[in-house]
Amino acid sequence: MDTTQLLKGVLDLAVLAVLKEEDGYGYDILRRLREAGLEEVGDASVYGTLRRLFAAGLLTTYVVPSESGPHRKYYALNSAGRDQLTRSGKTWRSFATTMDALLDDRGMAA
């Protein structure tokens, strides 16, 4: 199965989840996603997702000066983003439960 197609469908949720506990800048968010097991996620996909989530009003941004390079734009969940994370998380869990049941019923459990 092509995991890149699965990633496209859940990248918004994954980014919101990564930002749940701690704000982050683009590369930091990418690193955290990869460390969580989403090694195939692309740089452009994450940056595009951040821009889209910000435009949708789910994230706020602020700039932090850096002594070792350009200033970093940090992203943070706002209340709308937290609400979206809750809703999307419930949808994902329901979908994953359904898929697990389908696979288990057919003797394909992990």
Side-chain angles (χ1 to χ4, degrees), residues 87-100:
R87 284 190 306 274
S88 294
K90 287 178 183 177
T91 300
W92 173 257
R93 287 189 179 97
S94 175
F95 179 76
T97 299
T98 299
M99 289 304 299
D100 285 343

Side-chain angles (χ1 to χ4, degrees), residues 47-86:
Y47 287 102
T49 298
L50 289 167
R51 283 190 299 273
R52 189 174 59 259
L53 293 172
F54 176 75
L58 303 176
L59 302 177
T60 58
T61 63
Y62 57 94
V63 175
V64 175
S66 173
E67 293 180 14
S68 63
H71 299 327
R72 292 185 173 152
K73 180 189 247 183
Y74 276 74
Y75 293 87
L77 280 181
N78 57 27
S79 60
R82 290 188 185 283
D83 291 345
Q84 181 63 39
L85 175 59
T86 299

Side-chain angles (χ1 to χ4, degrees), residues 5-58:
Q5 290 301 315
L6 290 172
L7 267 175
K8 286 181 184 178
V10 297
L11 190 53
D12 286 9
L13 176 58
V15 167
L16 292 173
V18 163
L19 291 171
K20 179 181 179 185
E21 298 300 325
E22 184 180 4
D23 301 351
Y25 57 94
Y27 182 76
D28 175 55
I29 294 165
L30 176 66
R31 179 191 54 76
R32 288 158 54 190
L33 288 168
R34 288 180 176 163
E35 285 178 358
L38 300 177
E39 294 92 5
E40 295 182 27
V41 69
D43 301 23
S45 296
V46 171
Y47 287 102
T49 298
L50 289 167
R51 283 190 299 273
R52 189 174 59 259
L53 293 172
F54 176 75
L58 303 176

